[in-house]
């Protein structure tokens, strides 16, 4: 080999080495924590209402990465919350009413089960009962979402480290007369059935449960107060409290946005949406300071065919007209709709949530954005 050729080979090797090093250095960081917020029944018009009716700038406006998901279930064009949440939790399409099972009714692993094997702390928060379809899909497996006592029993043996919501009666007023609250205590849970405390009062526990209503929590209009944003902040503090084991996954549901849609009650819906937006703010505040947390905000489906319409008024002579200076929330159905649903993401891996895709991809994108799908 000539001297000139040797120089060429050396330069080529150095070039490839540098490119490999640069590629390695430019590999995007993985998220260590994931906060998934699900506004049940929340479509684009529900989100838009915060921009007109919230007195402060909505936290939705803090996101730069936004996508859309298709939400159909395995057998229906329009999903329910059980099939929708199972898609998020387990990455499979299933039939309406199914909790943590595939279309053939076989159990499928959920995110809580997957990440707990890697010693990732987990939690669920909801303004409904904690046995309701959305939270249940992250820890339970039943062929029917209405099997609330079976779902409560699944919670007792699950890997959940923190939960907050309603549903006391499904633990201690059961047909089988078991007291599952005592079983939770045996499984190292601290239990509070009165009110959310502060972090200093619970940090000594290895697990924590807040059961603050017999069934669902009160609506905002009837005095629920700041439960959802406070529980969000408290749950994050609790799950990240151990220095040597501070990584976590938490799902936070604004349940009653959906119920306002079913009732065709715009005031109910908007008050719940604004409360949910406050919880989003708590998640983003933590993520911005932490730098290692992926925040995802989406919904299982839209409810009510909600629209921000111009207010219909009448002139003095009785003629109807649309007042474009005043907005009224209107509805086209008492049920769910098939509209595409927005996805908002912030933090490591957030860019992968842009685009249009199926709801099951939320599950897969979470695993891709973290190291949680690494079998080592």
């Amino acid at each position: 080999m000539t001297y000139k050729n040797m120089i060429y080979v050396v330069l080529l090797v150095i070039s490839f080495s540098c490119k490999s090093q640069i590629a390695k250095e430019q590999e995007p960081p993985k998220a260590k924590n994931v906060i998934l917020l699900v506004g049940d029944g929340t479509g684009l018009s529900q989100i838009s209402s915060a921009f007109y009716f919230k007195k402060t700038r909505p936290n939705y406006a803090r996101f730069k990465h936004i996508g859309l998901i298709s939400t159909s279930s395995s057998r229906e064009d329009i999903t329910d919350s059980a099939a929708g949440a199972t898609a998020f939790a387990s990455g499979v399409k299933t039939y309406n009413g199914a909790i943590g099972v595939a279309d053939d009714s076989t159990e499928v692993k959920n995110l809580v089960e997957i990440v707990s094997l890697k010693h990732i702390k987990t939690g669920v928060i909801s303004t409904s009962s904690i046995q309701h379809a959305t939270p249940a899909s992250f820890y339970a497996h039943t062929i029917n979402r209405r099997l609330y006592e079976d779902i409560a029993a699944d919670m007792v043996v699950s890997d959940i480290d923190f939960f907050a919501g309603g549903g006391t009666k499904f633990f201690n007023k059961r047909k089988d007369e078991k007291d599952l609250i005592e079983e939770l205590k045996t499984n190292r849970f601290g239990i509070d059935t009165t009110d959310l405390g502060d972090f200093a009062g619970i940090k000594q526990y290895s697990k924590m449960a807040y059961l603050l209503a017999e069934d669902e929590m009160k609506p905002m209009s009837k005095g629920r107060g700041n439960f959802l944003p406070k529980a969000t902040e408290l749950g994050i503090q609790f799950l990240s409290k151990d220095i040597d084991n501070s990584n976590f996954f938490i799902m936070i549901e604004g349940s009653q946005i959906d119920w306002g849609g079913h009732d065709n009650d715009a005031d109910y819906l908007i008050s719940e949406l604004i409360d949910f937006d406050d919880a989003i703010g708590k998640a983003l505040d933590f993520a911005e300071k932490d730098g290692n947390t992926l925040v995802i905000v989406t919904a299982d489906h839209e409810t009510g065919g909600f629209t921000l319409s111009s207010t219909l008024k009448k002139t003095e002579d009785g003629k109807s007209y649309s007042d474009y200076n005043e907005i009224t929330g209107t509805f086209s159905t008492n049920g769910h709709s098939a509209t595409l649903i927005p996805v908002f993401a912030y933090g490591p891996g957030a860019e992968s949530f842009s685009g249009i895709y199926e709801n099951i991809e939320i599950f897969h994108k979470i695993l891709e954005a973290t190291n949680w799908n690494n079998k080592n």
Side-chain angles (χ1 to χ4, degrees):
M1 181 181 292
T2 66
Y3 179 76
K4 186 177 180 180
N5 286 341
M6 287 178 63
I7 293 294
Y8 175 76
V9 170
V10 170
L11 290 173
L12 196 62
V13 169
I14 291 172
S15 176
F16 277 115
S17 176
C18 289
K19 287 181 180 178
S20 176
Q21 184 65 27
I22 290 170
K24 189 174 182 180
E25 289 175 356
Q26 290 179 344
E27 183 178 341
K30 296 290 187 179
K32 295 181 179 179
N33 313 306
V34 175
I35 304 172
L36 173 62
L37 295 110
V38 178
D40 199 309
T42 302
L44 184 56
S45 287
Q46 282 86 345
I47 294 166
S48 299
S49 69
F51 289 82
Y52 291 97
F53 296 104
K54 190 173 185 181
K55 294 179 181 179
T56 57
R57 183 172 181 261
N59 289 295
Y60 276 105
R62 296 165 66 178
F63 293 93
K64 294 182 179 178
H65 298 286
I66 304 169
L68 293 168
I69 51 173
S70 175
T71 63
S72 59
S73 60
S74 62
R75 303 180 191 179
E76 296 89 359
D77 290 332
I78 299 176
T79 191
D80 79 331
S81 293
T86 297
F88 296 156
S90 299
V92 299
K93 292 276 189 180
T94 191
Y95 59 90
N96 286 352
I99 299 287
V101 298
D103 186 73
D104 62 0
S105 297
T106 57
E107 291 187 7
V108 288
K109 282 189 176 295
N110 57 52
L111 278 168
V112 167
E113 292 166 333
I114 292 168
V115 307
S116 294
L117 295 175
K118 297 181 177 294
H119 308 292
I120 307 294
K121 297 292 185 66
T122 60
V124 290
I125 297 169
S126 180
T127 56
S128 63
S129 71
I130 208 67
Q131 299 84 3
H132 217 254
T134 301
S137 296
F138 287 84
Y139 65 84
H141 304 276
T142 66
I143 60 171
N144 190 311
R145 60 182 288 178
R146 305 296 178 190
L147 299 173
Y148 297 123
E149 292 192 359
D150 291 347
I151 292 168
D154 279 356
M155 171 62 90
V156 174
V157 297
S158 76
D159 295 312
I160 293 287
D161 297 290
F162 178 96
F163 67 90
T168 309
K169 69 179 185 180
F170 302 116
F171 286 101
N172 63 5
K173 295 181 179 179
R174 299 166 55 85
K175 293 176 182 177
D176 60 14
E177 298 184 349
K178 290 182 179 180
D179 187 345
L180 298 189
I181 290 181
E182 288 303 313
E183 292 189 25
L184 286 171
K185 291 178 181 177
T186 300
N187 289 348
R188 300 178 297 134
F189 272 94
I191 310 287
D192 196 322
T193 58
T194 56
D195 195 13
L196 289 175
D198 56 24
F199 176 63
I202 64 171
K203 64 181 181 180
Q204 74 273 21
Y205 294 109
S206 58
K207 298 187 175 189
M208 189 65 205
Y210 288 98
L211 287 163
L212 304 182
E214 283 280 293
D215 199 339
E216 70 272 3
M217 302 289 291
K218 293 178 181 178
M220 285 299 292
S221 60
K222 295 184 179 179
R224 189 173 72 237
N226 67 343
F227 163 79
L228 190 60
K230 185 176 179 180
T232 297
E233 188 173 36
L234 192 60
I236 291 169
Q237 285 180 297
F238 186 83
L239 295 175
S240 61
K241 68 186 175 72
D242 298 328
I243 296 175
D244 296 330
N245 187 21
S246 62
N247 299 346
F248 65 88
F249 166 80
I250 189 168
M251 191 288 301
I252 299 151
E253 183 199 22
S255 319
Q256 298 189 38
I257 304 165
D258 173 67
W259 301 354
H262 281 299
D263 289 351
N264 284 186
D265 186 333
D267 290 340
Y268 184 6
L269 184 158
I270 293 167
S271 66
E272 296 294 330
L273 186 282
I274 290 173
D275 178 59
F276 181 66
D277 186 73
D278 288 340
I280 293 171
K282 295 295 185 181
L284 287 174
D285 289 347
F286 174 83
E288 288 174 355
K289 292 178 182 178
D290 176 68
N292 297 309
T293 298
L294 172 63
V295 178
I296 307 148
V297 181
T298 190
D300 43 5
H301 54 75
E302 192 276 341
T303 303
F306 184 61
T307 306
L308 296 175
S309 306
S310 57
T311 301
L312 191 63
K313 294 183 176 180
K314 290 187 177 181
T315 62
E316 291 181 0
D317 58 2
K319 291 182 179 180
S320 297
Y321 72 99
S322 295
D323 185 347
Y324 279 18
N325 290 311
E326 187 175 315
I327 294 170
T328 298
T330 59
F331 300 86
S332 64
T333 177
N334 293 109
H336 300 170
S337 72
T339 185
L340 296 180
I341 295 298
V343 182
F344 300 79
Y346 172 89
E351 62 281 353
S352 69
F353 290 84
S354 300
I356 302 175
Y357 44 92
E358 292 291 330
N359 56 359
I360 58 173
E361 292 302 316
I362 296 288
F363 169 87
H364 298 294
K365 289 177 185 293
I366 287 173
L367 293 181
E368 289 170 6
T370 63
N371 281 318
W372 299 346
N373 60 346
N374 187 338
K375 294 182 179 180
N376 295 328

